[in-house]
Amino acid sequence: MIDKLEPKKLGLLGSLYVTQFLPIAFFLQALPAFLRQSGASLATIGLIYTVALPWLLKFIWSPLIDRYGWTRWGHYRFWIICLQSLTALILVISAFLDVQNDFVVLFVCLFVIGFLAATQDIATDALAVSLLDERERGIGNGVQIAGNFLGAIVGGGGMLILLDRIGWTASVLLMALCTVLALIPTLQYEERGREKGNFIQNSKLKKSYFKTLTNFFRRPEMGGWLSIVLLYMTGSELATTMFQPLLVDIGLSIAQIGWLMGVAGLCAGLVGGLVGGLSIQPLGRKRSLMLFGLLQAIAVATYIIPAMGVTSLPVLYAIAIGFRFTNGLAITALSTVMMDKSEPQTAGTDYTIQNSISAIGSRGASAFSGFIAGAIGYVGFFIVCIALSLFGVAIVVKVFQASNRQTTVTTNTR
């Protein structure tokens, strides 16, 4: 039986994950095109991508989010309210800046927003760990992944359309308003275990900063699990980096690629996240990782079709939709188990460490994608990506072990 997620939890998680991803998608997808249209140099546009740096390094300050909080508001709820409010405020300031004449100030604002969003992600993931019981985590993470894809759709394609129609100031002010309105579910939620008090150290967390950061790696069987985290998404992420250049090389226009990847593909990823979330509990964690990873490898294999010269738009749409759908399935399964491996009292640190390791594995490999594709061609490159995807599944088969708590719950529900 598939467990349902309470509407209140659904609304809270959905609003948090969409909102925190919205500005990042805007800065990384819509803003570069808008700046280029406004006459900005490629070097200037390249600086925009540094706003994603805090997302790779957020594990460094994650123990501080676990350790300190205003307990009167709820430990993680306090952080979310403050960080989201600050994000809205800086968006308002950014709205009244000139994108060309005030670029240095704008860049500082964007970097701060990137830092705030990355820090909010720590608190949001930690809140989700305590909010969801074991049987709810599949659909809960499905909502998370769907929220991320929806944020990418609205913040990327949607905001680019608004920029073209109503201009910079009105578009960014509208995004700030959406950020404020998305706080309503958080303000209505009362965090479990709330205590009366002030901004204090979490009394249940006795570990030092460094012990909190390193204790995660000392747990039994953690080495095997982290090898899965590192490699599970590497093949698919590597393939993605070269698919868009391939589409350009076979003659698609920027507009066609935008509809193909930015609309159809992301919508399929959203659906994949929800379907994956609903499937994880009845399938079980290990079978979900294996099945979804295998489907993802098959989807990567379809990239060979356009690499061999097939340029039919219906075929390309089917390939893009299939890939993003299976990508949504796989990310949801991985995120669910990452949540299982996180202890409630250090959830922000535990989950963030895993998230950073996954990002380092996939993005680190992606840095070499151009060299590999240039050396062996698109077909050879995608074959390497298929092999990496299958290797990720093989590691799951060999070393994955569910947490004791999750195993108990699964046994009791069958």
Side-chain angles (χ1 to χ4, degrees):
M1 180 178 177
I2 297 175
D3 293 275
K4 295 181 179 179
L5 192 62
E6 294 177 14
K8 199 169 183 179
K9 293 182 181 180
L10 180 66
L12 176 63
L13 291 176
S15 66
L16 288 175
Y17 283 113
V18 171
T19 307
Q20 72 184 31
F21 204 75
L22 183 64
I24 296 301
F26 170 66
F27 297 141
L28 297 183
Q29 297 178 33
L31 185 57
F34 179 75
L35 286 173
R36 188 58 174 169
Q37 189 180 55
S38 302
S41 67
L42 292 177
T44 298
I45 293 171
L47 288 174
I48 295 297
Y49 292 95
T50 61
V51 304
L53 187 61
W55 287 77
L56 296 179
L57 301 176
K58 61 185 178 178
F59 68 91
I60 295 173
W61 58 91
S62 59
L64 302 178
I65 305 301
D66 281 327
R67 195 172 186 83
Y68 299 101
W70 189 281
T71 55
R72 188 180 297 275
W73 290 5
H75 187 91
Y76 295 114
R77 182 172 172 266
F78 157 77
W79 285 108
I80 292 168
I81 292 172
C82 291
L83 293 164
Q84 199 161 317
S85 299
L86 285 171
T87 298
L89 176 61
I90 298 177
L91 282 171
V92 171
I93 295 172
S94 302
F96 294 99
L97 296 174
D98 186 288
V99 293
Q100 288 181 303
N101 298 327
D102 301 321
F103 180 77
V104 174
V105 179
L106 177 62
F107 175 76
V108 171
C109 289
L110 301 187
F111 193 86
V112 171
I113 289 174
F115 173 79
L116 293 174
T119 306
Q120 183 179 329
D121 189 53
I122 298 170
T124 300
D125 290 334
L127 182 66
V129 171
S130 62
L131 181 69
L132 303 171
D133 63 38
E134 300 285 356
R135 291 173 293 180
E136 293 175 320
R137 286 180 180 168
I139 185 58
N141 279 278
V143 170
Q144 174 192 163
I145 302 306
N148 288 343
F149 277 113
L150 182 57
I153 294 168
V154 176
M159 290 304 297
L160 193 56
I161 294 170
L162 282 178
L163 282 169
D164 185 54
R165 294 187 178 182
I166 65 177
W168 170 262
T169 300
S171 298
V172 179
L173 285 176
L174 182 59
M175 187 158 54
L177 177 62
C178 292
T179 302
V180 172
L181 293 176
L183 267 174
I184 294 174
T186 306
L187 294 172
Q188 293 177 334
Y189 167 70
E190 183 171 334
E191 188 174 343
R192 282 188 293 187
R194 191 178 77 164
E195 301 169 359
K196 298 296 181 182
N198 298 312
F199 189 83
I200 60 171
Q201 177 176 315
N202 184 350
S203 59
K204 296 180 181 179
L205 185 58
K206 305 295 185 183
K207 304 180 185 71
S208 67
Y209 167 84
F210 289 105
K211 192 170 183 181
T212 301
L213 198 60
T214 60
N215 191 60
F216 176 80
F217 296 95
R218 299 172 180 168
R219 295 177 193 166
E221 311 295 338
M222 194 52 65
W225 167 243
L226 290 179
S227 68
I228 296 172
V229 172
L230 183 68
L231 296 169
Y232 187 69
M233 300 300 301
T234 298
S236 62
E237 292 299 321
L238 195 62
T240 303
T241 59
M242 285 295 107
F243 187 56
Q244 290 197 35
L246 170 62
L247 295 177
V248 173
D249 290 347
I250 64 177
L252 266 65
S253 68
I254 296 299
Q256 287 175 317
I257 294 173
W259 280 103
L260 184 68
M261 303 298 292
V263 178
L266 290 177
C267 287
L270 188 156
V271 174
L274 293 175
V275 171
L278 291 168
S279 305
I280 288 170
Q281 185 60 30
L283 283 174
R285 266 52 165 180
K286 185 170 185 175
R287 276 182 288 180
S288 296
L289 286 167
M290 291 165 53
L291 175 61
F292 298 162
L294 184 60
L295 290 175
Q296 187 172 238
I298 294 171
V300 171
T302 64
Y303 277 4
I304 294 176
I305 297 173
M308 296 181 68
V310 177
T311 60
S312 168
L313 273 178
V315 173
L316 294 177
Y317 267 91
I319 291 170
I321 289 170
F323 177 84
R324 276 302 178 195
F325 178 79
T326 59
N327 190 239
L329 293 174
I331 295 173
T332 301
L334 185 67
S335 299
T336 300
V337 183
M338 283 165 54
M339 193 171 285
D340 290 340
K341 301 292 184 181
S342 302
E343 293 294 331
Q345 292 174 12
T346 55
T349 302
D350 295 353
Y351 193 93
T352 300
I353 287 173
Q354 296 172 83
N355 207 1
S356 295
I357 289 173
S358 179
I360 290 169
S362 58
R363 293 174 190 173
S366 296
F368 299 97
S369 59
F371 298 103
I372 300 171
I376 62 178
Y378 283 123
V379 173
F381 175 78
F382 291 132
I383 290 174
V384 170
C385 295
I386 296 167
L388 284 172
S389 297
L390 292 174
F391 184 56
V393 176
I395 293 177
V396 172
V397 174
K398 181 70 175 176
V399 305
F400 176 74
Q401 291 187 4
S403 66
N404 291 334
R405 287 176 297 162
Q406 192 273 326
T407 302
T408 303
V409 171
T410 302
T411 302
N412 290 340
T413 55
R414 290 186 177 178

